[in-house]
Amino acid sequence: MNRIKISLIASFTVLVLVVLGFTGTLNILSFKKQFTESLVNGYEVVAGESVRKIEYSVKYGKPINNFYGIEALLQQNMQFSEDITNIQIIATNGDLIYNKDGRVEGKSIDAEYRDQIKFTDRTVAIQTKHIQTGGEHQVYLPIFDGNGKWIATYNLSFADAAIQKSFDFYANKILLMLAICGAAALILLIIFNVTMNLVTSEGEVLKVRLLTLIIGILSITQLTFSIYNYQLFKDAYQALSNQTVTIASSTMKYNIDALIKKGVPYDQMFEIDKYFANTAKSIPLIDRIQLVPKGKTSDDAQSKISIELPKDKTGASFSLEVRIDDEVIAKQLRNTVFDGVTVLIISFLFLVEITMFLLMLLRGFVVRAAGVILRRLNRNELFNGEMIRPLTFAFAFAIFMPLSFIPIVMKGKVTAFLGLSEEVLLALPITVEILFAFVATMIAGALIDQYGWRKGFLFGAFAFACGSALSGLADSSYELYLAGRMIVGLGYGFGLLSLRAYVQQTYETERQSGGFSSMFSGLYAGVNGGVIVGALLADRLGYSFVFLLASGIILLSILIALIYTNPTSIEQMRKLDVGQKGVSIWKGFLLNPGVAGFFLFLLIPISVASMFLDYYFPLYAKNHGVSSGDVGRVFLLHGLIVVYLGPILLRLTERWFSNKVSVILSGVIVIAGLLIFAGINTVEAAILAVVFLGVSDSFGLVAQNNYLLRLPQTSQIGSTRALGYFDNFRKFGQMVSPMIFGGLAFMGGYGVGIIGMIFVVLILCFTVIVIRNKEKSLKESA
Amino acid sequence: MERWSSNIFSRQFITRYALVLLSLLLLFGTSQAAFSNQASNHADQKPVLKDGTSKWRIGYIETSKFANYAGTLYGIVKGLESSGWIKTTKGLPFTQGSNDSQAIWKWLSQNATSDYIEFNQDAFYSISGDQAKKDAIKARLAKQDLDLLIVMGTSAGKLVKNEKHSIPTLVFSSSNAKASGIVNEIEKSGISNVWAHMDPNRYKLQLRVFYDVFKFKKVGIVYEDSELGRIYSAIDDVKAVSKEKGFDVVEEHVIEPVDFAKDYEPYIQSLIQANTRLTKKVDAMYLPLGLWDSPDLPRIIKPFLDAKIPLFSQLGVEEVKMGVLISLARPDFTGIGTFGATKISDVFHAKLPGDLSQVYGDTPSIAINLAAAKKIGYKAPFDILISSDEIYTELVPVSGN
């Protein structure tokens, strides 16, 4: 076996380990999240039954702070599981009223949790809160009086070890399956490596063949693994569902038993059906509860649990039949499938990015191994600027990991700082982050033009790594966290603009579109993967871990930049469009009708419209009962269109249309999406509008980029500076967008229609400017 | 996975939070987080001797024989035992429902139960309308030879309060000590040597719950139309809740016995007649405290059971057991006993009764009689059954029937 084949096997091994390691981690985290939720449901049922009993007693005159029999009730709850560590009743102001040992005087719960467990008065929706703290899980349920007023909170604590103990059984199975899948994939890859030609005799890697082979085999492996996971979760969920229903049944049996012992016959348990109906209503898994004469259990297909009840003093005996809502289980399993598909897609995104990166490295290795390395062939020439994609992927992945929790990290930890309220203090980190990113973008353009993209990127990535590490180490120090987010903002601004400059400074002009397209593909893959992986990891391992991991990943991007890219050479710098000295930004650029028209009539409207996805859609979907998971999947759909459809559509639009037409077309597609939604006004139409937005972004982002770079005014101030303005105008559009959508939200679909119609007018204005400029330049050239 | 992002240049969340921040900055000035740290303030309850050498001498005065008085005394004794003032109460003669306070006192005086407190047999007084006993009490108070008085009931409380003496006096089982003039205020008595247990909301709570369950339009009540009678029956509370909830109160009046041997049976008969008259006028009945003996209760309430009218007992579980439909009252005397023992301990630690807090809400329990429910055709819903602490399923037969 020659060196190339051996190097391929080594690469496959690394690839299988990395990709399946990633997939396995993601699946285990996702599995555990769902498993925990299901297990917590069981404890919520215990808590819910007690709360119902307390509420009945309060309704019949027992004051919550002077409740006869509470000790016995709480002790009874403690008996349900040895994993329950404590049960407390907490006043609405956070003072403890009772714990498992009885009355508590002079103690309050920690301020950190007090705000987290504030409930409103009774609503239709079930209000339950689950908080994990260290090695314990806390379940909080509000207690209402007869008028629906929130009067206290029921708190049940149980050890995380209880979840871990049950989960280990499944985790071991998942890991075993992962090992089997990994071994199978590796064997297949080795077989193909031995039997097929994957490298030409000239040392040229057969990229398409190799890519198809790797992605094909690993995709099938991932799919098999995901199906196995689903089956495993299905079994676990059904077992947990049965356990939950059994707990509920036992609680009801306990109550009925107690009455029988007091001599109450079944025929005097009036309105027991109402009690059953209330119980069933509060536990989604239960469809119906009824008393069935002993020995007469129905034999229909619906799942049910039947428990024998004791004879009453008249000799009557019944069974408690609890019918399980099979549709709820089916729905949960459907959601599990959706979650599985989401995880699969994220794993696929990761697989593609990692495979492409490894292939690039492999090509370098093979070229050297084949002994055909050219003299003076530098890395940049070797990779031909292709490193933009993995570099952007790693950068975006790291940056977006903490996105879902930045504002909530300090919740409960910050109280008073500079005289600001907690709400303001929680919003402040993300605000300073964007402010510093904005400032960085303003100053980075000129510096990058002067010192080259790589120095800018290294500075940005290093700043991000420091800021993110500081955020992770801040613990409860608000000042450190705030400082961390400032530095992250700075790094983000520099890094991002440097990546754009990388394409400009590395690619020849005619190849720049492809470079930008690769950048956007890496970007969207990184964003989608980063947000999901970050959220999942934070759930299990905490915020600090994710911040520190993000620092680690960004250091990887620094290594990629240092090892596989070259700084811009002096020759290249000379060729760079750094602008002319003495040109006024206002007169020479911003006030030019062509530039101003582009920013005002096209870029800002499209930026405003793009927030349909980020701002309007989640609110609209939530109001129409769409789950947050499904909203996330629509975001993912948008990302997939940009990543995978983008390069194809970009090639086609560049072939068929001029840049100006592409830009206008991207705007028209966005507007069409908005108008279709306005006309139909359904969730499906909203999703269709998101698809339109994705299609527009897939080629439009690059087209808009290129349009600006090719304007004559851009060369006067320097292309990187111009791109800085491009970014900031986009940000401006996105900042005002929530106000515009929010202001017209009360009109529903019509509001979006109005926005769409205004944009039609603005795009027409832009079109007129483009036509007039073209006529003018034709006249000048004539 | 709740929050996703699609556009790295947008940082939509940043935008959103920036907007939120701007709004908040405009809307809010400063705010301070408030931390509550409730601290408990317990008095030193360690037993002490009077002047370090002699025992404390306690006296007991009750209005008459009454189950609540005996129960409260028993509770106080148990409370004193828990805090170490009394060594043991093993063998103390008391069963739930007993009205024999004298037996308890006698036992305490004859057994060396405490190293700190002396229970003299001659310091026990049960007035029962006997003027001679009232005079004896006045004479005893004038002697000032007692260190603390435990007084049970409104009538006894008024008597002791109105005499000139400085003996620390703790009054229990008074329906409304403020309304009857025993104390001046609810929180603290306003009189240096007098303290009285106050639970200003207990009867209002009873009436509210009774109304919420049955939603009646007219509620009946029978009581003696005298100052004390109005206080015992909590008529002011009944009327206050009637205004709040919008139902009418229909009253019938009776004369309470003074000479029990002579007046008792006519009193019971007048009660039965008043109740019978009310059955035609009301759709619910509130049964206040009365001077009847427990075995007579079934015949007193029979008219309501026959007329299928729900009946609520002010007293509590003892009467529900005898056939009253429902009650919400203290289940035993542990709570009030512990509270009272704490106050005695405070006095022995040189605190003035007038400086001690008086309010203590008894922990109410729910009691229901399902046989009574069946008799009047009331289908007690399941939720009230699982909330009830005591459920009775039989009716005590009417004596003589």
Side-chain angles (χ1 to χ4, degrees), chain A residues 271-511:
Chain A
E271 295 187 14
I272 195 169
D273 47 342
K274 207 168 161 184
Y275 163 72
F276 286 154
N278 280 337
T279 306
K281 201 170 135 190
S282 67
I283 305 169
L285 269 173
I286 296 178
D287 175 36
R288 196 151 47 95
I289 307 163
Q290 56 188 8
L291 287 183
V292 180
K294 198 173 270 179
K296 287 191 180 174
T297 43
S298 40
D299 53 358
D300 54 87
Q302 192 175 12
S303 315
K304 52 188 161 294
I305 283 177
S306 189
I307 299 181
E308 247 179 51
L309 296 171
K311 275 185 186 172
D312 69 9
K313 64 181 181 185
T314 68
S317 59
F318 286 87
S319 294
L320 180 70
E321 190 180 271
V322 181
R323 287 171 168 263
I324 296 169
D325 194 334
D326 293 328
E327 180 48 38
V328 169
I329 293 187
K331 194 178 167 191
Q332 171 63 32
L333 290 176
R334 272 201 300 276
N335 285 340
T336 308
V337 172
F338 289 144
D339 280 352
V341 169
T342 307
V343 167
L344 194 65
I345 289 171
I346 296 300
S347 301
F348 182 77
L349 282 172
F350 187 77
L351 164 68
V352 171
E353 298 307 318
I354 293 293
T355 306
M356 287 175 80
F357 177 57
L358 268 181
L359 275 185
M360 285 176 213
L361 302 189
L362 192 67
R363 202 170 74 227
F365 180 83
V366 169
V367 164
R368 287 184 181 89
V372 291
I373 186 162
L374 301 170
R375 202 187 296 173
R376 287 182 307 180
L377 182 71
N378 65 30
R379 293 183 186 103
N380 224 357
E381 286 164 305
L382 179 66
F383 298 122
N384 208 15
E386 287 171 0
M387 276 297 160
I388 184 66
R389 185 158 174 160
L391 200 57
T392 315
F393 174 75
F395 185 75
F397 193 93
I399 283 194
F400 279 82
M401 279 178 85
L403 189 71
S404 63
F405 56 81
I406 290 171
I408 53 177
V409 170
M410 281 290 147
K411 195 164 172 56
K413 293 180 183 173
V414 58
T415 50
F417 183 64
L418 299 175
L420 298 170
S421 71
E422 190 186 352
E423 291 87 347
V424 175
L425 290 172
L426 291 179
L428 200 55
I430 210 152
T431 309
V432 296
E433 193 177 322
I434 192 172
L435 187 70
F436 272 72
F438 185 84
V439 172
T441 315
M442 297 291 285
I443 57 173
L447 290 171
I448 291 167
D449 279 347
Q450 196 175 343
Y451 296 106
W453 78 272
R454 200 165 83 151
K455 280 183 182 154
F457 178 78
L458 291 176
F459 172 77
F462 184 71
F464 175 86
C466 293
S468 190
L470 201 58
S471 308
L473 298 171
D475 192 24
S476 57
S477 167
Y478 182 76
E479 294 86 339
L480 273 187
Y481 184 65
L482 199 62
R485 297 328 292 171
M486 283 176 188
I487 301 170
V488 161
L490 196 69
Y492 169 66
F494 260 91
L496 205 60
L497 207 59
S498 304
L499 285 169
R500 290 188 155 212
Y502 176 39
V503 178
Q504 277 176 270
Q505 295 177 11
T506 310
Y507 284 76
E508 297 84 20
T509 311
E510 57 276 14
R511 287 183 57 247

Side-chain angles (χ1 to χ4, degrees), chain A residues 616 677-679 681 744-745 747-757:
Chain A
Y616 188 84
F677 167 73
N681 197 10
L744 294 170
M747 297 174 76
Y750 291 117
V752 176
I754 290 171
I755 296 171
M757 292 309 293

Side-chain angles (χ1 to χ4, degrees), chain A residues 56 59-60 62 66 68 95 106 111 270 400 419 430-431 434 492 523-524 527 531-532 614 632 730 734-735, chain B residues 1 3-8 10-11 14-17 21 30-31 35 38 331 361 363 382-383 387-389:
Chain A
Y56 287 145
K59 179 179 153 191
Y60 291 114
K62 288 192 181 180
N66 198 6
Y68 181 73
D95 289 348
F270 301 107
F400 279 82
I430 210 152
T431 309
I434 192 172
Y492 169 66
L523 200 62
Y524 277 78
V527 168
V531 173
I532 294 166
D614 301 319
R730 270 191 73 85
Q734 286 156 350
M735 273 182 73
Chain B
M1 296 200 300
R3 295 200 162 163
W4 295 54
S5 174
S6 68
N7 191 331
I8 198 163
S10 74
R11 304 296 314 255
I14 301 174
T15 308
R16 209 169 301 160
Y17 282 100
L21 174 71
T30 60
S31 79
F35 291 93
Q38 197 185 348
T363 306
F382 190 78
D383 57 6
S387 308
S388 295
D389 303 287

Side-chain angles (χ1 to χ4, degrees), chain A residues 70-143:
Chain A
I70 194 78
E71 294 85 356
L73 180 66
L74 300 188
Q75 276 302 325
Q76 177 209 330
N77 288 177
M78 293 290 295
Q79 306 303 317
F80 273 104
S81 164
E82 58 184 18
D83 297 315
I84 298 176
T85 52
N86 197 9
I87 294 174
Q88 302 180 130
I89 306 289
I90 305 160
T92 52
N93 66 355
D95 289 348
L96 286 179
I97 312 175
Y98 313 99
N99 65 16
K100 64 184 168 68
D101 301 319
R103 178 107 208 161
V104 179
E105 297 282 353
K107 283 188 180 169
S108 300
I109 59 161
D110 292 345
E112 188 183 337
Y113 304 120
R114 208 173 305 157
D115 290 338
Q116 291 184 52
I117 57 160
K118 278 202 171 138
F119 294 95
T120 59
D121 291 342
R122 195 188 285 282
T123 53
V124 178
I126 299 167
Q127 300 182 52
T128 307
K129 283 179 184 163
H130 167 225
I131 300 171
Q132 190 182 351
T133 52
E136 279 207 328
H137 293 261
Q138 310 281 344
V139 170
Y140 295 95
L141 268 80
I143 301 171

